[in-house]
């Protein structure tokens, strides 16, 4: 079987954003999170997730007792803020997709947070990639296969790294096993932020 990291369509751009670009993006995200605060999501079975989530764009991905889905508004009822231009420019440079992202999911990992292996499959159009931007503490990213099970490969994602999962990697299982809390000084209080840009409709 092929190594998951060699799946055609998985690309990593280490250090794509320099420190000042990362800091500027964090400032933009603080504005987003003032309008649309992070929430602790609950799985459809009622299990609280360890990451905190919010979003920008026309849609935000949410989960609660009613299931996994995209919603046009934050649970508080406010529209999701627009995706910051600093974030959109990464998509324009790397996604190689004629469509613009409709969701920028914001995941915040505090100490001990993780994300189990899953597929991003609640979108209607899998021809567009998912683009991920890592900011703050290092996270151990695990990449698996489109089918459940089989061999997985892990790599540490660092602040400023960008990953594109398109083509054969678009529906591959992936997750974050752990973060190295306090390994980056980008965020005052530590933690890791991961942005994923998705075309939803
Ligand atoms: C995700 O799959 O939504 C997050 C991936 C990551 O945190 O790197
Ligand atoms: Fe994902």
């Amino acid at each position: 079987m092929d190594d998951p990291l060699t799946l055609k369509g998985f690309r990593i751009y280490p250090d794509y954003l320099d420190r000042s670009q990362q800091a500027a993006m964090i400032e933009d995200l603080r504005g987003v999170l003032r309008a649309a605060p992070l929430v602790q999501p609950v799985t459809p079975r009622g299990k609280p997730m360890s990451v905190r989530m919010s979003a920008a764009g026309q849609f935000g991905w949410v989960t609660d007792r009613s299931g996994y889905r995209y919603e046009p508004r934050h649970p508080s009822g406010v529209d999701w803020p627009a995706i910051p231009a600093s974030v959109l420019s990464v998509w324009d440079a790397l996604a190689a997709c004629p469509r613009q992202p409709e969701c920028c999911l914001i995941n915040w990992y505090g100490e001990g947070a993780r994300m189990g292996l899953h597929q991003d499959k609640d979108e209607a159009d899998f021809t567009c990639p998912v683009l991920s931007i890592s900011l703050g503490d290092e996270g151990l990213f695990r990449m698996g296969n489109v089918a459940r099970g089989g061999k997985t490969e892990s790599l540490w994602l660092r602040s400023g790294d960008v990953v594109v999962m398109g083509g054969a990697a678009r529906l591959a299982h992936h997750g974050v096993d752990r973060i190295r809390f306090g390994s980056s000084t980008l965020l005052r209080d530590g933690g890791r932020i991961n942005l994923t840009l998705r075309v939803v409709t």
Side-chain angles (χ1 to χ4, degrees):
M1 195 192 311
D2 281 346
D3 289 348
L5 292 181
T6 64
L7 275 179
K8 222 171 152 44
F10 180 91
R11 305 199 304 272
I12 175 159
Y13 299 87
D15 298 320
Y16 183 78
L17 299 172
D18 67 23
R19 176 74 182 208
S20 68
Q21 290 171 312
Q22 295 169 36
M25 197 174 280
I26 290 295
E27 274 317 298
D28 293 342
L29 293 171
R30 287 192 197 287
V32 170
L33 294 177
R34 269 193 293 276
L38 292 165
V39 301
Q40 179 171 32
V42 173
T43 68
R45 288 158 162 255
K47 187 170 180 277
M49 291 178 68
S50 56
V51 299
R52 303 287 182 275
M53 286 185 184
S54 186
Q58 286 121 277
F59 299 96
W61 186 87
V62 301
T63 172
D64 57 23
R65 284 279 188 182
S66 307
Y68 300 134
R69 64 198 184 277
Y70 282 95
E71 286 284 356
R73 276 174 286 279
H74 185 272
S76 70
V78 301
D79 287 343
W80 302 106
I83 302 176
S86 57
V87 175
L88 286 176
S89 68
V90 180
W91 176 273
D92 290 339
L94 300 181
C97 172
R99 298 186 61 188
Q100 285 294 103
E102 297 166 304
C103 171
C104 171
L105 183 66
I106 305 170
N107 288 325
W108 183 77
Y109 297 74
E111 195 160 13
R114 58 186 301 281
M115 186 174 294
L117 274 183
H118 65 276
Q119 293 171 292
D120 292 355
K121 60 176 182 191
D122 297 322
E123 301 76 29
D125 183 351
F126 298 134
T127 65
C128 300
V130 170
L131 184 148
S132 126
I133 302 173
S134 292
L135 297 165
D137 288 340
E138 297 168 12
L140 186 58
F141 184 79
R142 187 198 291 260
M143 186 69 186
N145 309 285
V146 176
R148 257 175 185 284
K151 183 171 172 178
T152 67
E153 274 191 67
S154 296
L155 73 160
W156 283 97
L157 293 179
R158 300 187 172 82
S159 198
D161 291 355
V162 175
V163 165
V164 178
M165 290 185 288
R170 175 62 183 78
L171 286 171
H173 286 78
H174 59 277
V176 174
D177 288 338
R178 59 191 165 95
I179 69 163
R180 277 185 185 133
F181 189 79
S183 55
S184 160
T185 56
L186 185 70
L187 300 173
R188 247 192 331 261
D189 299 324
R192 171 174 187 263
I193 288 181
N194 178 264
L195 306 177
T196 44
L197 295 172
R198 301 113 182 268
V199 171
V200 174
T201 59

